[in-house]
Amino acid sequence: MCGIVGYNGKNKAIDILLDGLSKLEYRGYDSAGIAIREKNKEIEIYKAKGKIANLKEKIQNKKLNGTCGIGHTRWATHGEPSENNAHPHISNDGTITIVHNGIIENYQEIINKLEKHGYKFYSETDTEVLANIIDYYYKKYKIGPIDAINRTMVRVRGSYAIAVMFKGYPDEVWVARKDSPMVIGKNDDGTYLASDVPAILKYTNNIYYIDNMEAACLKKDTIIFYDLNGDVIDKKPKKIDWDMAAAEKDGYEHFMIKEIFEQPDVVGKTINSFVSNNEIDFSKGNLSKDTLKDTREIHIVACGSAYHVGVCASYIIEDLAKVPTRVDIASEFRYRKLLLNKNDLVVIISQSGETADSLAALRKAKEMGVKTLAIVNVVGSSIAREADYVLYTLAGPEIAVATTKAFSTQLIVAYLLAIQIAYAKKTITKNKYNELLNELSLLPNKIKEILAKEINRIQKISSEFSNIQDAFYIGRGLDYAISLEGSLKLKEISYTHSEAYAAGELKHGTISLIEENTLVIGVVTQEDIYEKTISNLTEVKARGGYILTISPSKIDVSKTANYQIVIPETNKYFYPSLAVIPLQLLGYYIAVSKGADVDKPRNLAKSVTVE
Ligand code: F6R
């Protein structure tokens, strides 16, 4: 949520800042702004409401020669989206210029304190409060930037990644963070900072991470890191293997459709990173078979789509490995009275590795002395760094706000985890283990096949349904789990009301919403329970519903379905990976036919770093 970017070096900052902001726009897009400084001259600030394009338009005729600057794209938390509330913000006399990602929880308390000292506030943001509290300490104690920032970090509560320019230090950009992401890089042309790697990947793939309550000073050719005592600390960069092309649209109309098409590749890569010679190897994540063998219960915790992966995983782990598995939404888990045992394993699933609730859930589990495993996409993210074990998905940078390829790679790691636990606990034989891994290796081609075969049909049916008000997704077991994801995809990008139901639950109330031509999508892949779902679909059809099904050819839905999407056959556990593809396409094309901004749906942001 919110994207920040910064540069200090030999080149003009404006191009680097605008390019970086465009790469971060998925994090928030209700306003944007930049602050640029040329040598000792005054800092110039420009802001615009709305997307970055508006900011670009505003500054197109300005001569901005400064080689040092910071920028921001906002997802509003405090105060409406407006130019006045847009970042950068400045302290009362302009000593401090700041951009901020996160939330300051005790901002009102700090306003009260600062007002007593004569400070005035022009915006409704908590960020302006940060600018002024830094200014207050800086002047009161006549200290340098690092001490003013450190005192501020001790005084404020909440989450933040900040980039700060001090009027008296023209050659420096200062940064600090707590619970909000921040990456830093350096090359021969200067130093860079951003909320996420794609914004600076073009310049370097050697990335420095600063930890919570640490700060750094970015000069033109050096970066100095500090701890909370103000002592200099040593940091080594981490090499990121992401391909720059993955962060570009590459001829596709939207990132989302590009990322949908990347799925065969990234699913294959994720399988190969953990499976070799027909053996699953989690040693990269420090996760031994013994740890899995001794696990008593599993608690999967995640948000949104990652939670849906958890729901899939819970069915598979219980069935295959016979380990009781509970799935929790992270924002519930973190405030629930937990009955965790030292032999349990808490599994956090997160693409960004920065989701505030998932991170808090991880910390809570750790506080209780329970082992934690993170399934994460972003290398070096907070969740990845804090968990005991980490299994990385190899989705590469995911830019579209609605997840597709990260979801698919999370499913793969979930399957592998289930298989490995089952094998460690001897609930499956070596033959079954081999059979499952063999079937898993066929998934990338099967996904490719669905994409090749179904894209035109789904595009067509989507345009026919572009005006629908409601849609219902139903299924049982794993089909229910994947219905949850299908429904979320549709609603978040096309703004169509949709709900997912366990098929048998519909008639306990919601069936009253079915009218002539209401779209009901039935996911029907599980052979042991498909007849029940078909009965439920028939009940809906009898009330006028239009039935679209997703099923393998061996399941006969022909008498019930108005429209059938046939997917290849696979092992029963792996159907979510195939069934989700048409569901993603359906959501995408309905959104496109409605003219929605698919990659940046209203009110959303990719990385949810606030509660
Ligand atoms: C939906 C979507 C979100 C995320 C959720 C968790 O398409 O992308 O529901 O899955 O916000 O985010 P991560 O995985 O980054 O923790």
Side-chain angles (χ1 to χ4, degrees), residues 315-347:
Y315 283 107
I316 304 171
I317 295 171
E318 290 201 334
D319 201 36
L320 206 55
K322 317 292 176 224
V323 179
T325 304
R326 176 171 176 153
V327 200
D328 265 292
I329 290 171
S331 53
E332 290 295 310
F333 180 92
R334 64 183 292 190
Y335 294 116
R336 198 155 60 73
K337 295 269 172 290
L338 298 172
L339 301 174
L340 299 183
N341 180 287
K342 297 262 180 291
N343 294 326
D344 293 352
L345 180 67
V346 169
V347 180

Side-chain angles (χ1 to χ4, degrees), residues 303-306 349-353 355 401-403 410 488-489 492 608:
C303 303
S305 294
I349 307 177
S350 174
Q351 186 284 127
S352 61
T355 302
V401 165
T403 182
Q410 288 164 350
L488 181 61
K489 283 286 91 74
E492 67 180 330
V608 185

Side-chain angles (χ1 to χ4, degrees), residues 256 301-308 348-356 358-359 375-378 383 398 400-404 406-407 410 485 488-489 492-493 604-608:
M256 184 171 172
V301 190
C303 303
S305 294
Y307 168 79
H308 301 155
I348 309 283
I349 307 177
S350 174
Q351 186 284 127
S352 61
E354 299 292 349
T355 302
S358 305
L359 180 59
I375 299 175
V376 172
N377 194 44
V378 177
I383 292 175
E398 191 177 61
V401 165
T403 182
T404 52
F407 177 86
Q410 288 164 350
E485 178 60 8
L488 181 61
K489 283 286 91 74
E492 67 180 330
I493 56 172
L604 295 180
K606 179 114 190 116
S607 178
V608 185

Side-chain angles (χ1 to χ4, degrees), residues 259 262-271 274 309 349-351 375-377 391-396 398 403-416 447 577 580 584:
E259 289 164 3
E262 281 170 3
Q263 291 178 109
D265 180 47
V266 295
V267 161
K269 278 189 182 142
T270 304
I271 297 172
F274 295 115
V309 173
I349 307 177
S350 174
Q351 186 284 127
I375 299 175
V376 172
N377 194 44
L391 301 176
Y392 281 112
T393 50
L394 298 193
E398 191 177 61
T403 182
T404 52
K405 61 173 180 167
F407 177 86
S408 284
T409 55
Q410 288 164 350
L411 277 178
I412 296 298
V413 179
Y415 303 150
L416 290 171
I447 296 174
S577 288
V580 77
Q584 293 168 345

